[in-house]
Amino acid sequence: MVGYYAVKLVSKIVCYLPECLQKAMARGLGSLAVMFCPRWRLEMAKANIGECLGVDKKTSEKIAEDSLRRFGRMVVEFLRFPLLTKENVLAQVEIEGREYLDEAFQQGHGGIMATAHFGNWELLGATVSLLGFPLVSIARHQNDGSMNRFVNEYREMAGQKIAYNRGENNFLKIVRLLKQKHLVGVLFDQDTNDIGVRLDLFGKTCIVPDGAAALSRLNKAPILPLFIHNEEWGRSKIKIYPPMYCQGKEDYDRVMHELVGILEQEIRECPSMWFWVHDRWKDGHQRFDKDYDEHRHGHHP
């Protein structure tokens, strides 16, 4: 539990730092992210950026490094969550398409907020919750117990409830919360080795989790694609798209194709906002990790 209290202390200090020192801290943490990122992941990110976006090597390298550096700002913004309130959140976060969220929620079937590891997705959830919407965020249990406690405490501080994506009864819990008119936050951009649909992302086949479509079908709930973009320091912008619906099994592919198409559009618009160092197409180890075959087969020098 030492780690938990240490991070809490850091958070308290960050909340009182002047803006110039917060920015310096964000830059420093971003540089550390680039420095300590496993080399194979960085090389994989550069290659995927070039293949997906058709940009040259120099541009790919800049996008890959910028996508890591932005985590410095994300960490600092997360540590400042105790300062966020319903009264001040809209001074920091602009919302485009707020009417779609209001109208979808008023239908009385809950809703699925479908987003990605894009921008500061933690700030996205906090903003929606602070505006008074009952949000349940589907999360992965952190490996470190202290960090899991800290992260979830700060999410709940903004009014979110947490449901884990693993566990025998978790899906039933999520369905029940939807029936109680909650919004459910779903990250659909990573392959978690769960059942999903096989789709092309930037022309490269991958498995896309279809939880958003499944939940929409079960509860007639609208799916709201939405993404958050970094703007100047202290400012962010949430973009909400018109709702879509999955009314039957025949709608699965259509809905998931549309979601992936929106994700591609968002990434092309601001590529450094996406989490490129994730092994999205499950071929990064084989292509870029020189030690992968050795570790997999148990061969050691």
Side-chain angles (χ1 to χ4, degrees):
M1 297 308 293
V2 174
Y4 166 80
Y5 290 108
V7 180
K8 288 274 287 187
L9 176 60
V10 172
S11 172
K12 189 170 184 179
I13 293 170
V14 168
C15 287
Y16 288 98
L17 288 178
E19 183 178 295
C20 61
L21 291 183
Q22 291 176 13
K23 292 169 73 172
M25 182 179 180
R27 286 194 298 269
L29 290 172
S31 296
L32 288 174
V34 175
M35 188 182 306
F36 288 102
C37 178
R39 290 299 95 185
W40 74 267
R41 285 192 177 276
L42 195 54
E43 292 304 312
M44 173 194 68
K46 295 175 188 176
N48 284 336
I49 291 166
E51 293 165 5
C52 293
L53 304 181
V55 296
D56 59 38
K57 187 176 180 180
K58 184 177 181 180
T59 304
S60 296
E61 183 173 346
K62 183 179 188 305
I63 292 171
E65 292 191 0
D66 285 350
S67 73
L68 280 168
R69 293 185 192 282
R70 72 176 177 83
F71 278 95
R73 172 173 168 170
M74 182 175 177
V75 169
V76 171
E77 288 177 339
F78 190 74
L79 292 173
R80 296 183 73 253
F81 268 23
L83 300 179
L84 282 179
T85 65
K86 183 178 181 179
E87 289 70 34
N88 69 22
V89 69
L90 290 182
Q92 302 174 51
V93 185
E94 178 188 354
I95 303 178
E96 176 185 311
R98 167 75 185 268
E99 66 275 13
Y100 297 129
L101 178 59
D102 291 333
E103 291 169 7
F105 185 69
Q106 288 167 9
Q107 293 175 18
H109 296 287
I112 298 104
M113 291 177 28
T115 190
H117 293 84
F118 190 99
N120 188 344
W121 60 88
E122 296 288 357
L123 181 58
L124 170 60
T127 301
V128 172
S129 292
L130 285 168
L131 291 177
F133 294 96
L135 175 63
V136 181
S137 290
I138 301 178
R140 182 180 68 85
H141 199 289
Q142 302 290 322
N143 294 330
D144 183 282
S146 295
M147 286 307 300
N148 192 71
R149 176 184 173 186
F150 172 76
V151 169
N152 285 338
E153 180 180 307
Y154 271 44
R155 288 167 174 163
E156 291 168 350
M157 183 185 294
Q160 298 180 67
K161 292 183 179 180
I162 306 301
Y164 290 111
N165 60 357
R166 305 284 182 179
E168 185 179 346
N169 298 315
N170 285 348
F171 186 77
L172 294 176
K173 176 183 177 182
I174 294 165
V175 171
R176 185 170 64 251
L177 288 167
L178 262 181
K179 289 183 181 298
Q180 295 170 2
K181 303 180 182 181
H182 284 73
L183 298 177
V184 175
V186 175
L187 292 158
F188 70 94
D189 63 323
Q190 291 190 3
D191 180 4
T192 56
N193 295 319
D194 293 328
I195 296 173
V197 291
R198 188 172 294 274
L199 294 172
D200 282 357
L201 178 63
F202 293 107
K204 302 169 66 175
T205 302
C206 57
I207 302 295
V208 180
D210 61 353
L215 290 168
S216 177
R217 180 189 175 197
L218 281 171
N219 207 54
K220 299 180 181 179
I223 301 169
L224 289 159
L226 72 174
F227 298 83
I228 186 167
H229 291 252
N230 291 349
E231 297 197 322
E232 69 270 15
W233 180 263
R235 294 285 301 167
S236 299
K237 182 177 181 178
I238 294 173
K239 185 190 299 185
I240 305 176
Y241 286 80
M244 56 183 69
Y245 298 83
C246 183
Q247 298 179 342
K249 191 172 182 180
E250 67 279 2
D251 290 334
Y252 266 57
D253 285 348
R254 175 188 60 79
V255 166
M256 296 311 301
H257 270 99
E258 288 183 16
L259 282 175
V260 169
I262 292 171
L263 174 61
E264 285 190 8
Q265 177 182 317
E266 287 291 320
I267 295 171
R268 289 187 189 278
E269 180 181 329
C270 198
S272 64
M273 288 294 103
W274 197 45
F275 191 46
W276 286 99
V277 295
H278 171 63
D279 191 2
R280 183 63 188 89
W281 290 274
K282 300 302 180 187
D283 61 357
H285 273 297
Q286 296 93 320
R287 294 174 64 191
F288 301 99
D289 188 354
K290 295 178 180 178
D291 298 324
Y292 175 71
D293 285 331
E294 185 176 282
H295 290 163
R296 183 178 60 173
H297 297 297
H299 298 315
H300 301 282

